[in-house]
Amino acid sequence: MKQIWITRYGGPETLELREAALAPPAAGEVTVAVKAVGINFADLMARKGLYPDAPKPPCVVGYEVAGKVEALGPGVEPRWRDKEVFALTRFGGYSDKVNLPANQLFEMPSRLTFQEAAAIPVNYLTAYQLVVVMGGLRAGESVLIHNAGGGVGLAALQLARHIGAVTLGTASPSKHAFLKGQGLDHAIDYRRKDWFGQVMAATQGRGVDLILDPIGGPMWRKNYRLLRPTGRLGAFGVSSATESRGPRLLSLLKIGLSTPWFNMISLMNGNHGVFGVNLGHMWGEGEKIAGWMAAILAGVKEGWLKPRVDKSFPFAQSGEAHRYIEERRNTGKVLLTP
Ligand SMILES: NC(=O)c1ccc[n+]([C@@H]2O[C@H](COP(=O)([O-])OP(=O)(O)OC[C@H]3O[C@@H](n4cnc5c(N)ncnc54)[C@H](OP(=O)(O)O)[C@@H]3O)[C@@H](O)[C@H]2O)c1
């Protein structure tokens, strides 16, 4: 099989296409012939040595694939034979064949391409957990979605619009017109000094009901100050760690030092909530994930949830694919195709 390896911590040039042998699927596993692989920001962080959950290089990352079941291991229900599927993978997804537990498979909805299906698991489950499950967004409330043009951001926007919330989103200015076309009410450039004031102005000085923050570090503190009474701040990433040019341990230390501590009395008196989301730590909650995915697929079927694929790169250009995201050029999902 062909795989993309992170050979050492560093830039996109550290990604290397290699041949490897694939063992037959173990009990409870299937082999999937992969047609599309979702790239996630976590993969870029893993490559830079900034993602503690990832295996140490040399390693193969990749959290999601879509493809066709090619072989069944002992004990797997025969109904999976030859099925078109998409799935979460606990690393190892950057491969043209992958063995994974059958209980991580979802059947491909007929209206989606393999590429669209590979764009669903991480982005939509994370957004669902943030917006619906833990964020409890309600009609008429406001939501501030940072990185609104990324995979998670667009999924969150679609969920928030369906709920009937007022949507504010930050993104690079080149994406604002597209985001407005997707129904975003207020597009804001978060690299402008006055972004905070723009959010306050857009909410008539009241603040925001739900804020989704994958940037982390000092942003968490700023966002907390934007919460309206009963407002909730959902933390789900630290992309700011990738901006520091120094050694990786220094980047992690800087993030640690700039992370706010929350006081229960202040939370109580402010009527505020703070929560965290890490889909990569939900492997023991298969039933919840299956329920969320059923709701997501119902939205896909009804047409109000629609994964947006920005660009697919062949395996041989995986470095370019990572660079494309690093340069903030993507609007929606970036994929690899074997
Ligand atoms: N906790 C979880 O379970 C979970 C799951 C999925 C993703 N996440 C986090 O959510 C965030 C977005 O993920 P995604 O997969 O949706 O992203 P993505 O589709 O890969 O989008 C990347 C976009 O993020 C923005 N960005 C912000 N900071 C950046 C930086 N330092 N370098 C490059 N781009 C940066 C850029 O757009 P603009 O400049 O236009 O905003 C870029 O185009 C990441 O921080 C990721 O780690 C967390």
Side-chain angles (χ1 to χ4, degrees):
M1 72 179 150
K2 290 187 169 53
Q3 294 187 307
I4 297 162
W5 285 73
I6 297 178
T7 53
R8 60 187 187 283
Y9 292 137
E13 70 287 350
T14 61
L15 296 176
E16 207 174 284
L17 189 57
R18 292 182 180 173
E19 287 282 348
L22 178 71
E29 285 187 348
V30 299
T31 301
V32 174
V34 174
K35 309 279 187 203
V37 180
I39 301 183
N40 285 288
F41 203 82
D43 307 342
L44 280 64
M45 296 192 71
R47 198 200 69 224
K48 291 179 177 194
L50 296 171
Y51 188 51
D53 288 351
K56 296 219 174 334
C59 65
V60 180
V61 294
Y63 267 132
E64 56 196 349
V65 297
K68 196 167 176 187
V69 174
E70 199 178 66
L72 307 186
V76 173
E77 290 174 61
R79 73 183 176 97
W80 287 113
R81 193 177 304 282
D82 295 329
K83 271 267 154 65
E84 294 186 340
V85 294
F86 65 105
L88 285 163
T89 49
R90 199 169 191 173
F91 305 109
Y94 282 25
S95 310
D96 68 354
K97 286 185 199 294
V98 65
N99 288 339
L100 57 98
N103 63 11
Q104 282 165 222
L105 298 174
F106 304 102
E107 253 182 73
M108 278 259 301
S110 55
R111 60 164 55 203
L112 294 188
T113 63
F114 284 117
Q115 296 186 355
E116 287 169 328
I120 287 185
V122 174
N123 288 169
Y124 280 81
L125 287 167
T126 304
Y128 193 85
Q129 188 177 346
L130 282 162
V131 173
V132 178
V133 179
M134 297 182 78
L137 187 66
R138 299 166 73 100
E141 285 194 321
S142 54
V143 57
L144 171 60
I145 304 166
H146 287 293
N147 289 171
V152 178
L154 281 174
L157 176 60
Q158 292 171 3
L159 286 165
R161 290 200 66 226
H162 186 72
I163 289 167
V166 176
T167 54
L168 297 85
T170 65
S172 298
S174 59
K175 302 175 189 173
H176 287 194
F178 169 80
L179 287 168
K180 284 184 180 163
Q182 297 292 302
L184 182 71
D185 296 312
H186 303 276
I188 294 162
D189 177 3
Y190 52 6
R191 280 180 286 175
R192 274 179 54 153
K193 284 216 166 63
D194 65 347
W195 74 265
F196 189 98
Q198 287 187 47
V199 173
M200 277 316 232
T203 57
Q204 294 80 42
R206 283 198 289 262
V208 186
D209 292 300
L210 175 64
I211 303 181
L212 313 183
D213 183 350
I215 301 164
M219 273 300 257
W220 282 329
R221 198 182 301 277
K222 273 195 182 154
N223 281 315
Y224 183 75
R225 285 176 29 224
L226 280 170
L227 289 180
R228 180 180 183 172
T230 78
R232 293 84 69 196
L233 169 60
F236 69 108
V238 280
S239 59
S240 54
T242 64
E243 277 163 22
S244 172
R245 300 234 170 265
R248 67 190 183 91
L249 285 176
L250 192 64
S251 308
L252 292 172
L253 183 67
K254 273 188 195 163
I255 288 293
L257 292 175
S258 59
T259 297
W261 293 87
F262 292 100
N263 175 298
M264 294 308 284
I265 303 289
S266 311
L267 287 173
M268 187 170 75
N269 290 341
N271 287 292
H272 289 151
V274 175
F275 65 91
V277 163
N278 188 340
L279 188 70
H281 291 191
M282 290 292 289
W283 294 103
E285 294 289 351
E287 272 180 33
K288 281 192 186 216
I289 297 284
W292 303 349
M293 186 56 89
I296 290 164
L297 292 179
V300 170
K301 198 169 174 196
E302 287 160 21
W304 54 270
L305 284 183
K306 194 160 179 17
R308 176 182 154 88
V309 173
D310 176 318
K311 202 166 165 153
S312 288
F313 290 83
F315 267 20
Q317 291 173 15
S318 52
E320 279 92 324
H322 274 212
R323 198 169 286 119
Y324 184 73
I325 298 172
E326 231 151 55
E327 290 171 354
R328 299 171 182 264
R329 289 164 66 195
N330 65 304
T331 308
K333 193 72 178 178
V334 183
L335 298 155
L336 294 167
T337 40

